[in-house]
Amino acid sequence: MLLDAGAPLLPHMHRLGIQPIDIDAVFLTHFHGDHTLGLPPFVLHRIFVDKPRAITFVGPDGIDERLEALFEVSWGVDWKAVMLPRFKVRYVTARKRGQVAGHEYETIKLDHGSTGCNGYRIKFGDRVLAYSGDTEPTAPLDALVDGADVAIVEATGPGDVFSHMSWEAAGALKKRHPKTRFLFNHLYSGTVTGAAKDLQVLEV
């Protein structure tokens, strides 16, 4: 299972020992480039390197049109004529509750930009992972992480951060949910005490 797909994706997966063929579902929170542009090389690998295996993309309304447009931009007329017939793909518009690849999930609409963002609560056995993608620190985010065992949430930087969550708001969120283990991530040019190193594997 893969949560969003920013670039570059494949080199990181290979360095961590994750095989693209083992991914059976991709949950997309929204369609901004830093959350989707890792998909074209990932799909290319699945089509021409891996043995054919079905994969499901779950995301906001219009996921089929948006991803098909991305793949057509990436490969032009060869996408539909050559590549798509070899690609066993299913597009699923995220529902309030559903099941994909054997895992139950719940979708909570979060506040981000003009179109919003899907947050997901995904069950792994008796544990719950909450994943926000990008979001402002509004009430739906609290609903997303409430009672989750682990929450992966973005926190962009200090101070007032447009359409995202600040470190201060992230810290307050953590205090409101003390039983949840938080992993905070997003783009930032500086360093933070206690931050994970690039490609460091964290046991959660």
Side-chain angles (χ1 to χ4, degrees), residues 87-162:
F87 190 42
K88 296 183 178 181
V89 63
R90 181 171 69 111
Y91 299 111
V92 174
T93 300
R95 298 179 295 176
K96 177 69 177 176
R97 289 180 176 81
Q99 186 174 38
V100 171
H103 297 286
E104 295 180 9
Y105 74 89
E106 179 183 358
T107 306
I108 295 178
K109 192 72 170 178
L110 303 175
D111 296 305
H112 176 57
S114 59
T115 58
C117 176
N118 281 358
Y120 299 106
R121 292 171 61 89
I122 305 172
K123 288 187 178 181
F124 295 88
D126 59 353
R127 306 189 75 191
V128 175
L129 168 69
Y131 180 72
S132 74
D134 295 341
T135 180
E136 299 173 30
T138 54
L141 179 60
D142 278 276
L144 178 76
V145 303
D146 187 36
D149 296 281
V150 177
I152 303 174
V153 181
E154 69 96 354
T156 295
D160 185 19
V161 184
F162 172 73

Side-chain angles (χ1 to χ4, degrees), residues 173-195:
L173 178 71
K174 186 176 185 297
K175 287 182 179 180
R176 292 195 298 274
H177 303 273
K179 294 183 179 180
T180 297
R181 182 169 184 185
F182 282 87
L183 301 175
F184 294 108
N185 68 336
H186 206 238
L187 299 176
Y188 180 65
S189 60
T191 59
V192 183
T193 301

